[in-house]
């Protein structure tokens, strides 16, 4: 099994994916253990002083004005976890919970939070045991950290609440800890607060989305190329010299991908045949410009994620010179903005893909293809309602593109009077990514059928490889009407698990 070693810095997106999706083992480096111990000495020294220190010897949020006596501080830390574990709604996906736990562990190991080494080790033990705390959809405003989600995770460390075992069964957390030989953590000063005061949930979902969208943007380049081919369009608009004079790197990459897919096609360049046209429609001709802008948005979001992965988010934070200072680094605005930005790019990519699908199905614009790609139009409806489904998905994506980060609802008696809504931005982006996968799958399904209906013309070698792999995956080709949902589901899986891109790359080599 792959092992991720957590030090005081340098956790990567690949590490997050390995732990969240592949159940990689997590170990603490000796450097991290030493940093944890050194920071804890500072917190213990402050706890012994009579002066109040936020998070160590005071209440929290709007209750920070109360100085807490030493005999009540352990109860204070337990209480903040119990009271903040107030999420509601459906359970959050296992990979998201593992990502946010791992990212919180990363910050603990930075030596900036003041928790004891055994607290960090307990979190690593829970991850390694395959125990997943039950975290709910609602409860985070994306400021002061993803409080409720992280609190449900901290509750599991205490042996309280519910969690899912490696067998997928939800049981009391205490039972699961005992079954795996993990002792519940008894929290001390600062530790309850440190476990729940970070942007780890929204960051984890950003990292997961970036990985998914990297594959989806390549997939969308492939389906755009197949649609151009099926519509007998011209690939001259993909020439590198045209994209060099508008030097957006994402645009150049998308055009290069499409050109690679279409290399050797016998279908492109027939736009002057039976129904001559000087230019292809925008949805075909401008595919690299739209997908490329989305790719550049991904690059910006990746930069933000890398910065956040390098951060140690907590309040208060233990500084290298020994000071323990309050700060506002837990505010989720940097992450929330790019999560919303990605949702906008996703909606537009889906929108242009749907327009190409509609063009493939319209006999007045498809340049010789049968209505709705039907076998016997009138008797057969063909892919008419597949496009309806795609249009419904695009409509939902447009609604999901409304920014969550433009909203703010004051909380904690106006102490937390401006919040990021970053968790909400991340949750809707996950839905958007799923729906984009389905939109791309419908375009693939339609374009593949349309290419096969172009009798007498030979598609590109990469296209032929896609058609072969698609049919081997159980996705049916042209013919009379049949129960369509299973075909569309199989096409969705074919896109989601990377087989579409893999089929192309067997011919073209790696796409950009």
């Amino acid at each position: 099994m792959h092992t991720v070693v957590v030090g005081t810095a340098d956790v990567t997106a690949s590490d997050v994916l390995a732990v969240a999706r592949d159940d990689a083992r997590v170990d603490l480096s000796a450097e991290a253990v030493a940093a944890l111990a050194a920071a804890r000495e500072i917190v213990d020294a402050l706890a012994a002083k009579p002066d109040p220190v936020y998070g160590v010897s005071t209440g929290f949020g709007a209750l920070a004005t109360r100085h807490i006596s030493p005999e009540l501080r352990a109860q204070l830390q337990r209480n903040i976890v119990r009271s903040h574990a107030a999420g509601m709604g459906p359970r959050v996906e296992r990979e998201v919970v593992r990502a946010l736990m791992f990212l919180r562990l990363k910050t603990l190991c930075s030596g900036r939070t003041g928790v004891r080494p055994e607290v960090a080790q307990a979190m690593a033990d829970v991850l390694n045991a395959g125990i997943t705390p039950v975290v709910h959809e609602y409860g985070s405003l994306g400021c002061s950290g993803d409080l409720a989600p992280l609190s449900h995770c901290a509750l599991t460390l205490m042996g309280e609440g519910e969690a899912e075992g490696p067998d997928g069964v939800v049981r009391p957390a205490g039972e699961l800890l005992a079954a795996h030989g993990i002792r519940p953590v008894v929290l001390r000063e600062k530790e309850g607060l440190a476990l729940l005061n970070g942007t780890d949930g929204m960051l984890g979902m950003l990292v997961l989305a970036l990985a998914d969208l990297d594959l989806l943007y390549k997939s969308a380049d492939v389906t755009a190329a197949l649609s151009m081919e099926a519509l007998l369009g011209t690939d001259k608009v993909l020439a590198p010299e045209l994209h060099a004079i508008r030097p957006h790197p994402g645009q150049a990459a998308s055009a290069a991908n499409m050109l690679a897919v279409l290399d050797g096609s016998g279908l492109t360049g027939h736009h002057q045949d039976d129904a001559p046209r000087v230019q292809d429609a925008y949805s075909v001709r401008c595919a690299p410009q739209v997908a490329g802008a989305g790719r550049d948005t991904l690059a910006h979001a990746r930069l933000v994620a890398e910065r956040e992965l390098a951060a140690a988010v907590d309040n208060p934070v233990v500084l290298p010179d020994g000071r323990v200072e309050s700060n506002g680094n837990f505010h989720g605005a940097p992450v929330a903005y790019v999560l919303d930005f990605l949702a906008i790019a996703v909606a537009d990519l889906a929108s242009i893909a749907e327009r190409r699908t509609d063009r493939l199905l319209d006999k007045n614009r498809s340049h010789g293809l049968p209505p709705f790609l039907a076998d016997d139009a009138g008797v057969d409806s063909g892919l008419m309602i597949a496009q309806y489904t795609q249009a419904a998905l695009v409509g939902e994506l447009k609604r999901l593109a409304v920014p969550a980060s433009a909203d703010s609802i004051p909380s904690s008696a106006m102490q937390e009077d401006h919040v990021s809504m970053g968790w909400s931005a991340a949750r809707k982006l996950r839905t958007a990514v799923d729906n984009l996968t389905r939109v791309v799958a419908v375009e693939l399904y339609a374009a593949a059928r349309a290419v096969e209906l172009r009798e007498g013309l030979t598609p590109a070698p990469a296209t032929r490889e896609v058609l072969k792999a698609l049919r081997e995956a159980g996705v049916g080709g042209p013919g009379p009407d049949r129960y369509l949902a299973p075909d569309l589901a199989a096409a969705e899986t074919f896109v989601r698990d990377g087989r579409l891109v893999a089929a192309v790359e067997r011919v073209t080599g790696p796409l950009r």
Side-chain angles (χ1 to χ4, degrees):
M1 179 184 291
H2 178 58
T3 298
V4 173
V5 178
V6 184
T8 57
D10 300 327
V11 163
T12 66
S14 295
D15 293 333
V16 178
L17 293 167
V19 173
R21 290 183 165 166
D22 301 329
D23 290 341
R25 178 177 174 79
V26 179
D27 287 342
L28 309 187
S29 71
E31 175 194 26
V33 173
L36 284 158
R40 186 64 206 181
E41 288 181 5
I42 295 170
V43 171
D44 284 342
L46 288 171
K49 293 181 178 180
D51 300 326
V53 178
Y54 177 70
V56 177
S57 53
T58 71
F60 309 110
L63 302 176
T65 54
R66 179 178 172 183
H67 183 252
I68 308 299
S69 59
E71 66 273 12
L72 292 177
R73 290 176 189 170
Q75 181 181 340
L76 169 70
Q77 300 300 322
R78 287 196 306 272
N79 284 352
I80 190 176
V81 172
R82 289 169 176 167
S83 65
H84 285 44
M88 296 182 73
R91 283 181 58 191
V92 172
E93 303 84 1
R94 182 178 186 270
E95 68 175 13
V96 172
V97 178
R98 287 184 62 82
L100 76 90
M101 288 183 68
F102 175 70
L103 288 167
R104 196 70 213 140
L105 176 60
K106 176 268 299 183
T107 289
L108 299 183
C109 288
S110 70
R112 298 285 171 260
T113 69
V115 306
R116 291 165 295 153
E118 48 263 46
V119 176
Q121 185 60 57
M123 186 170 282
D125 291 343
V126 168
L127 284 166
N128 292 337
I131 297 171
T132 307
V134 171
V135 173
H136 299 278
E137 179 84 16
Y138 302 105
S140 174
L141 298 180
C143 202
S144 292
D146 290 316
L147 291 174
L150 284 164
S151 295
H152 282 277
C153 295
L155 201 65
T156 294
L157 296 185
M158 292 166 49
E160 300 181 19
E162 291 187 320
E164 178 186 295
D167 57 0
V169 177
V170 174
R171 291 188 296 217
E175 291 181 13
L176 285 169
L177 295 187
H180 290 85
I182 302 171
R183 298 179 65 178
V185 172
V186 178
L187 299 175
R188 289 172 48 183
E189 291 95 341
K190 178 73 169 61
E191 291 178 336
L193 183 62
L195 286 171
L196 53 88
N197 205 353
T199 56
D200 309 289
M202 65 183 88
L203 175 59
M205 286 185 274
L206 174 59
V207 171
L208 294 168
L210 286 170
D212 294 336
L213 288 171
D214 182 68
L215 176 64
L216 272 174
Y217 269 82
K218 292 176 184 175
S219 302
D221 289 340
V222 172
T223 59
L226 265 62
S227 290
M228 176 181 280
E229 198 171 22
L231 291 166
L232 306 179
T234 176
D235 58 2
K236 290 183 179 180
V237 297
L238 305 175
E241 57 269 26
L242 292 175
H243 298 279
I245 61 176
R246 194 190 191 196
H248 294 288
Q251 176 180 322
S254 287
N257 285 345
M258 291 181 66
L259 206 55
V261 174
L262 294 170
D263 186 38
S265 174
L267 280 76
T268 54
H270 287 270
H271 59 293
Q272 292 291 346
D273 291 355
D274 295 336
R277 57 201 187 274
V278 176
Q279 298 175 328
D280 291 311
Y282 283 11
S283 61
V284 179
R285 189 177 5 137
C286 301
Q289 284 77 9
V290 172
R295 284 171 167 271
D296 291 341
T297 302
L298 282 178
H300 172 61
R302 195 171 290 114
L303 176 62
V304 172
E306 288 168 357
R307 290 170 176 164
E308 198 75 0
L309 284 169
V313 176
D314 195 15
N315 180 48
V317 67
V318 181
L319 294 172
D321 61 8
R323 287 179 294 145
V324 177
E325 297 285 0
S326 292
N327 64 90
N329 285 340
F330 49 73
H331 200 288
V335 182
Y337 292 167
V338 294
L339 288 163
D340 280 333
F341 198 178
L342 287 174
I344 293 169
V346 163
D348 201 36
L349 184 64
S351 180
I352 197 170
E354 184 276 329
R355 288 293 80 206
R356 289 190 295 265
T357 302
D358 182 66
R359 185 166 290 271
L360 288 166
L361 271 54
D362 183 353
K363 71 180 182 65
N364 296 311
R365 295 180 291 140
S366 66
H367 310 290
L369 291 168
F372 303 105
L373 305 181
D375 187 63
D376 183 5
V379 174
D380 294 310
S381 295
L383 306 190
M384 180 190 295
I385 307 306
Q387 185 267 331
Y388 281 34
T389 299
Q390 192 186 40
L393 289 163
V394 171
E396 177 69 7
L397 282 165
K398 291 175 182 177
R399 291 186 287 275
L400 291 167
V402 176
S405 58
D407 187 21
S408 176
I409 299 178
S411 57
S412 192
M414 292 299 287
Q415 174 72 3
E416 298 169 11
D417 59 353
H418 184 275
V419 296
S420 78
M421 294 295 183
W423 174 273
S424 299
R427 296 305 296 165
K428 69 184 182 64
L429 179 60
R430 282 183 68 82
T431 303
V433 169
D434 280 343
N435 283 353
L436 176 61
T437 306
R438 298 177 181 115
V439 168
V440 171
V442 174
E443 182 181 17
L444 170 65
Y445 189 71
R449 178 180 285 205
V451 166
E452 289 178 311
L453 289 172
R454 293 291 189 187
E455 297 179 359
L457 296 173
T458 304
T463 302
R464 296 199 299 272
E465 186 64 25
V466 168
L467 293 173
K468 177 175 175 287
L470 195 60
R471 302 309 172 223
E472 289 174 351
V475 181
D481 281 357
R482 58 180 175 271
Y483 179 26
L484 209 54
D487 270 2
L488 296 177
E492 178 188 345
T493 302
F494 187 77
V495 172
R496 189 184 301 277
D497 64 17
R499 279 178 289 168
L500 171 60
V501 170
V504 167
E505 290 183 336
R506 285 195 290 271
V507 177
T508 65
L511 296 177
R512 293 169 59 178

